[in-house]
Amino acid sequence: RAGPLMATALSVNVNKITVLRNSRGGSEPDVVQAAATCLDAGAHGITVHPRPDARHIRAEDVYALAVLTQSRGVEFNLEGNPFAPPRAGYPGFAALCAQARPAQATLVPDADGQITSDHGFDFSGDLGLLRERIAELRALGCRVSLFVDAGCPDIERAAEVGAQRVELYTGPFAAAFAQGDAAVAMGACAETARRAQAVGLEVNAGHDLSEGNLGVFLRGVPRVLEVSIGHALIGEALYRGLDATVRRYLEVIAHA
């Protein structure tokens, strides 16, 4: 008999808080206070994606947010490219995970100068190095999720290399939704989720999800365990406040 249906968890990406802070310098707005506000409003976790150029989240932010999330007993989700080499101000993704011990490490194939994540992993070639990186992260106690495109032809290989979850890249769905016809994009997400789940992978989702499209997405894609939302949520919070915005997203999830 099937078990109880679990609600989708909301992990708030607070990168944009530090974009604002870094544009002026100093320490305001305070990313830890912003993350605490999200958690006080009911968010289930916090996500950050530190980039090697430190244009928003920095290593010291990662460590401070790790302390916050551990003290609250909630998930900390650290995103990054496991192959980006360390440099001044960026110790490398594995080193950040070793220090912060996030509950989840979400791996993305971003180039250094990429503005935002816009594609998933290609699983068609030799995946030996990726398998090694995943094993290192799992040895640290991290659950490992891989960023994937909807319609990924080789998604089953994500399980072969040791990942426990995949995160569906939802940018194309969001763009199609904005144009008024998301049926094809939704179908691709749903079919990819089912194929992943068939080989034992759990499914997350993120990128350009918003209050307007989230409910439709969750009703159309089966068993999404977690959504990571930052850009839209922080933007909407400028109008109604961070606490109220997080609560609105949780209502959308509850009704979906």
Side-chain angles (χ1 to χ4, degrees), residues 13 47-50 77-81 93 106-108 117 167 228:
N13 186 316
T47 292
V48 291
H49 186 157
N77 175 38
L78 193 59
E79 300 180 342
N81 185 341
F93 188 73
T106 299
L107 309 188
V108 294
S117 305
E167 179 177 327
S228 174

Side-chain angles (χ1 to χ4, degrees), residues 102-247:
Q104 179 169 266
T106 299
L107 309 188
V108 294
D110 285 354
D112 275 7
Q114 210 165 312
I115 293 175
T116 187
S117 305
D118 63 5
H119 65 282
F121 278 97
D122 178 359
F123 296 112
S124 62
D126 181 3
L127 301 178
L129 288 177
L130 182 59
R131 182 181 287 107
E132 290 176 11
R133 296 293 188 276
I134 291 172
E136 292 169 1
L137 294 167
R138 291 190 61 173
L140 294 173
C142 303
R143 179 176 67 240
V144 177
S145 178
L146 299 181
F147 199 58
V148 300
D149 295 316
C152 174
D154 304 304
I155 195 164
E156 291 80 5
R157 298 198 72 191
E160 293 175 15
V161 294
Q164 294 135 301
R165 291 192 184 186
V166 292
E167 179 177 327
L168 295 175
Y169 168 47
T170 49
F173 159 78
F177 182 90
Q179 293 297 316
D181 185 8
V184 173
M186 174 87 78
C189 289
E191 189 263 346
T192 306
R194 291 188 184 98
R195 285 175 51 215
Q197 290 156 352
V199 294
L201 293 162
E202 296 177 320
V203 175
N204 297 340
H207 206 284
D208 290 338
L209 293 174
S210 68
E211 185 182 319
N213 63 36
L214 178 59
V216 172
F217 178 82
L218 292 179
R219 285 189 288 273
V221 181
R223 291 184 287 152
V224 176
L225 295 189
E226 177 183 301
V227 288
S228 174
I229 304 178
H231 184 81
L233 188 152
I234 300 301
E236 290 156 1
L238 294 175
Y239 310 121
R240 72 165 78 98
L242 195 52
D243 180 275
T245 301
V246 170
R247 293 180 190 276

